[in-house]
Amino acid sequence: MTLNLTPNIPDPDGFYDALLAAHEGLEKEQSDAFNARLILVLCNHIGDRDVLRQALEAAKAP
Amino acid sequence: MVDVRYDLAFKLYPYARVAAQDMPMQRLPVVVVGGGPIGMATALDLGRKGTPVLVLDDHEGVGQGSRAICFSKRTLEIADRLGAGQAMLDKGVVWNVGKVFHGPDRVFEFNLQPEAGHKMPAFINLQQPHFEKFLVDEIRVAQAQGAPIEIRGQNAVTGVAPQDDCVVLDVSTPEGPYQIAADWVVACDGARSPLRNMLGLSFDGRVFEDNFLIADVKMTAAFPTERWFWFEPPFKGSGQSALLHKQPDDIWRIDFQLGWNIDRQVELDPTRIGERVDAMLGEGAEYELAWTSIYTFQCRRMKEFRHGRVIFAGDSAHQVSPFGARGANSGIQDADNLAWKLDFIVKGLAPESLLDSYSAERAHGADENILNSTRATDFLTPKSDMSKIFRNAVLDLARQHEFARPMVNSGRLSVPCVYDGMPLNGPDELDGPDITRVGAPCIDAPLDRGYLLDRLPGQFTVLAFNCAVPEIDAVEGVPLTHVALRMTEHDPTGALAQRYLGTQPRALYLIRPDQHVAARWPDTDIDALAAAVKTAIGKGA
Ligand SMILES: Cc1cc2nc3c(=O)[nH]c(=O)nc-3n(C[C@H](O)[C@H](O)[C@H](O)COP(=O)(O)OP(=O)(O)OC[C@H]3O[C@@H](n4cnc5c(N)ncnc54)[C@H](O)[C@@H]3O)c2cc1C
């Protein structure tokens, strides 16, 4: 499978808002931990090692 | 003189003067240097095959340090092939339940429901001295049955001189030195291998900057037979991780990860150890310290395990961290791999180059073990802020969510190595199960009577499932054993068909003496079989 790098989230502004809201009131340390948990949850949902490899690639600084 | 470097748990082969000490240099086919678990297993295997073997060990028995406690199914299967498996099983502790803690909180609990249909359990806990003693006991049984094995205690090898057609060893004894010439030397002399050093061979890898305190304690109070593992344990001064695990005879292994900058003498003070153990077991727990030690560890291996007529096996060839219990377990697979090849060479059945496949196959195994134990170490002791954040995120999620639990890595238990893509492999023409592909060790399965592995006692074997056994008894002088199994008759549980046929109606397997699959086909084919035997003994085109 190929990693989807085209817009795929309905209501992008709403999602972005929800992401920031999840971090609201957290200390830096708590935010880091939250991000790590979020990444793990999402990666598990994707599961496909090939897609995950492409995602790791895509996330590297351009 | 021979230095005594450790106390003995069992004195099994006291020094005794032998005639060879007063005679011109003796010439022997195989000398094993070092009588640890790997040397003894190698000698037992060779001797049972009828190849004369001499073991030289610088002590008079098995050392007291408990060291290895966890022995895997494959190790037990190999020991069973050698005759020592049942004694280990009878004495060992089988456990299934593990609990993982993070600080004071329980993260999750697992029950390793073992897969049914195997003679041996997934692993047992057994103190290393017992493991070694059972091997020596079996050597005594084999000797009584005529196996040409000799053990010489307090015979330390102090010099090694490779010649064109043999290796000359200098041997030191309490009554002075003598020399032995050997066609082949198997160096099973442990991680500090004097032979490796004398030959000036390198042993490269990674030293992990950490100290582990081990305490084996004897407790009489009831305590569950479970494995308890703590990340960031809550007890005072217990370091980054801790482990509590049961062994036979009411002995518990406790392991504390202490960090790098410690004072060994201070930490080994029994009062100090007592405080730590009290903190872990709770006030009022009654116990005695049976054995304590501090160790650091390395992950490293030799580039090649064969250097001419000297072959390295066990810790002398590779060393891993103890997480995942891979040291002795992988060394026993070395012995399993090496013994039949040496036996064939001594008997003139295979070219000397067959030994290069030992190096290739077992170096592949060592790499797998080093990779696994390095990964466990990185999970246990995160090396950066971010790796610690992820490690703790995994532990946090594992409390609620099943998906995170397989990522929790407190050491992966040793599983046998599959020799994928190795030069001795023949064709894999069966569209069969992956677990029994060419290169894999045979997976056990119950038969109508006994187990499959009982039928594979160390020769090349043609295993015919639902098909005719080819009428061929030997290839190039190598005898072939035949085992024909019909699923309708011999497979009471269906496990045999599931593990060896998958969706196929029949299959022909060629099995090596170490029970690894050499080749497999969808039906009987004599020419292909003969060619595969040649490939598997290093005579391939
Ligand atoms: C704390 C700890 C826990 C461990 N836990 C496990 C575990 O749970 N599972 C597991 O599989 N492994 C475990 N291991 C690893 C395991 O103990 C080793 O891998 C195993 O002992 C290696 O066996 P060996 O025969 O290669 O070497 P050794 O056991 O070191 O034996 C070498 C032998 O050679 C002899 N010798 C040395 N020099 C000479 C000489 N010059 N002449 C003659 N003889 C000589 C020595 O006296 C000794 O008898 C653990 C190790 C440690 C330290």
Side-chain angles (χ1 to χ4, degrees):
Chain A
M1 235 191 357
T2 345
L3 176 70
N4 186 357
L5 289 170
T6 58
N8 191 34
I9 301 176
D11 181 20
D13 289 349
F15 161 72
Y16 193 74
D17 203 29
L19 184 63
L20 292 194
H23 281 276
E24 215 146 284
L26 299 186
E27 299 290 329
K28 164 93 171 90
E29 208 175 291
Q30 294 167 316
S31 266
D32 283 345
F34 176 89
N35 279 341
R37 289 195 298 271
L38 182 63
I39 289 171
L40 291 168
V41 167
L42 296 175
C43 288
N44 180 65
H45 181 81
I46 294 166
D48 186 324
R49 281 293 302 277
D50 202 40
V51 174
L52 291 172
R53 185 186 49 73
Q54 296 171 56
L56 289 171
E57 238 3 85
K60 278 189 190 156
Chain B
M1 269 310 294
V2 179
D3 291 340
V4 176
R5 290 178 291 119
Y6 48 80
D7 296 333
L8 297 186
F10 305 107
K11 188 166 176 170
L12 300 176
Y13 32 89
Y15 171 75
R17 192 175 184 84
V18 292
Q21 286 168 256
D22 305 308
M23 296 194 322
M25 191 160 66
Q26 220 185 349
R27 172 83 183 241
L28 299 167
V30 183
V31 172
V32 171
V33 179
I38 313 314
M40 290 306 183
T42 305
L44 179 54
D45 207 354
L46 279 167
R48 280 233 185 265
K49 292 176 191 299
T51 284
V53 53
L54 168 66
V55 182
L56 300 173
D57 190 71
D58 59 354
H59 288 67
E60 296 187 301
V62 173
Q64 198 162 49
S66 142
R67 302 204 293 165
I69 60 166
C70 203
F71 293 92
S72 71
K73 175 160 73 201
R74 185 66 200 139
T75 295
L76 295 170
E77 288 168 352
I78 294 166
D80 201 39
R81 180 173 67 72
L82 298 175
Q86 193 59 46
M88 293 172 183
L89 200 55
D90 291 346
K91 175 91 187 172
V93 172
V94 178
W95 60 275
N96 291 312
V97 175
K99 289 184 179 141
V100 175
F101 301 86
H102 189 189
D105 306 323
R106 179 144 109 209
V107 177
F108 68 101
E109 180 176 325
F110 56 84
N111 190 339
L112 299 164
Q113 285 297 347
E115 190 187 50
H118 296 258
K119 181 171 176 185
M120 292 295 169
F123 31 77
I124 59 168
N125 284 0
L126 178 68
Q127 293 90 327
Q128 182 164 338
H130 288 292
F131 181 85
E132 293 186 44
K133 181 173 182 296
F134 291 136
L135 287 173
V136 178
D137 289 349
E138 194 55 31
I139 286 180
R140 299 306 181 205
V141 172
Q143 284 171 325
Q145 295 165 347
I149 310 171
E150 186 185 349
I151 305 173
R152 294 184 194 161
Q154 275 212 331
N155 274 236
V157 174
T158 53
V160 51
Q163 319 278 315
D164 276 351
D165 65 339
C166 70
V167 182
V168 175
L169 298 172
D170 295 318
V171 185
S172 194
T173 77
E175 295 181 299
Y178 70 107
Q179 286 190 316
I180 300 176
D183 294 349
W184 301 100
V185 169
V186 187
C188 301
D189 51 349
R192 292 200 177 86
S193 179
L195 260 68
R196 195 184 58 225
N197 294 334
M198 288 187 270
L199 291 170
L201 300 168
S202 62
F203 196 40
D204 297 326
R206 210 167 132 192
V207 180
F208 288 85
E209 298 202 331
D210 221 321
N211 287 284
F212 291 79
L213 170 69
I214 318 174
D216 276 357
V217 305
K218 191 172 173 85
M219 284 198 273
T220 36
F223 223 82
T225 303
E226 298 172 354
R227 179 189 198 259
W228 289 11
F229 193 93
W230 285 264
F231 292 95
E232 303 180 295
F235 357 102
K236 194 169 110 265
S238 52
Q240 292 236 44
S241 71
L243 172 71
L244 179 68
H245 215 175
K246 184 162 202 254
Q247 304 175 71
D249 304 326
D250 300 317
I251 305 273
W252 295 81
R253 163 67 54 90
I254 304 178
D255 217 317
F256 296 105
Q257 189 180 0
L258 297 183
W260 189 234
N261 292 310
I262 59 155
D263 182 331
R264 289 173 75 97
Q265 281 319 312
V266 172
E267 297 300 344
L268 279 171
D269 176 3
T271 329
R272 171 112 178 166
I273 295 177
E275 286 168 9
R276 284 218 157 86
V277 176
D278 288 344
M280 179 190 252
L281 299 179
E283 278 306 307
E286 284 187 26
Y287 63 88
E288 271 167 53
L289 293 177
W291 179 66
T292 58
S293 168
I294 286 186
Y295 68 96
T296 55
F297 66 86
Q298 268 115 42
C299 283
R300 51 187 185 168
R301 75 161 168 96
M302 296 179 79
K303 270 209 184 65
E304 300 285 337
F305 295 177
R306 176 196 176 191
H307 290 267
R309 298 183 165 276
V310 183
I311 305 127
F312 292 83
D315 277 13
S316 69
H318 46 74
Q319 217 187 347
V320 294
S321 84
F323 305 117
R326 286 163 187 269
N329 286 312
S330 65
I332 293 293
Q333 291 171 59
D334 291 352
D336 188 40
N337 189 295
L338 178 59
W340 70 268
K341 294 176 181 174
L342 256 186
D343 172 63
F344 274 31
I345 290 165
V346 170
K347 289 178 177 155
L349 293 172
E352 293 179 359
S353 59
L354 181 59
L355 289 175
D356 295 328
S357 74
Y358 161 76
S359 189
E361 290 177 342
R362 294 312 304 156
H364 172 67
D367 286 344
E368 212 171 87
N369 287 321
I370 290 172
L371 176 71
N372 272 295
S373 71
T374 304
R375 285 175 173 174
T377 308
D378 288 342
F379 193 89
L380 282 158
T381 14
K383 300 290 179 295
S384 68
D385 288 345
M386 194 44 73
S387 67
K388 182 151 189 178
I389 289 169
F390 272 111
R391 198 279 305 269
N392 287 346
V394 169
L395 290 172
D396 288 344
L397 288 166
R399 292 174 198 214
Q400 296 286 327
H401 304 294
E402 213 183 307
F403 87 83
R405 291 174 194 164
M407 281 189 238
V408 174
N409 190 346
S410 61
R412 301 282 179 227
L413 287 155
S414 171
V415 288
C417 169
V418 177
Y419 302 139
D420 283 320
M422 291 285 146
L424 301 188
N425 292 358
D428 195 341
E429 284 174 6
L430 182 78
D431 192 8
D434 202 44
I435 47 166
T436 44
R437 66 185 180 276
V438 170
C442 282
I443 310 293
D444 205 4
L447 304 182
D448 50 330
R449 261 183 294 153
Y451 283 83
L452 178 68
L453 294 189
D454 296 336
R455 307 290 294 275
L456 306 172
Q459 290 95 36
F460 269 97
T461 303
V462 184
L463 251 180
F465 297 107
N466 290 345
C467 65
V469 175
E471 287 179 22
I472 176 171
D473 294 335
V475 175
E476 304 266 321
V478 172
L480 298 181
T481 303
H482 294 164
V483 176
L485 298 169
R486 300 243 157 232
M487 299 309 178
T488 46
E489 226 179 294
H490 303 293
D491 185 22
T493 65
L496 194 62
Q498 189 217 331
R499 290 168 195 172
Y500 287 85
L501 291 181
T503 56
Q504 303 301 308
R506 65 188 75 83
L508 189 78
Y509 280 67
L510 175 65
I511 311 298
R512 312 194 321 190
D514 56 11
Q515 300 177 336
H516 279 255
V517 177
R520 61 179 183 177
W521 302 270
D523 214 335
T524 305
D525 179 340
I526 291 201
D527 293 340
L529 178 70
V533 173
K534 284 175 75 173
T535 303
I537 58 172
K539 286 186 174 175

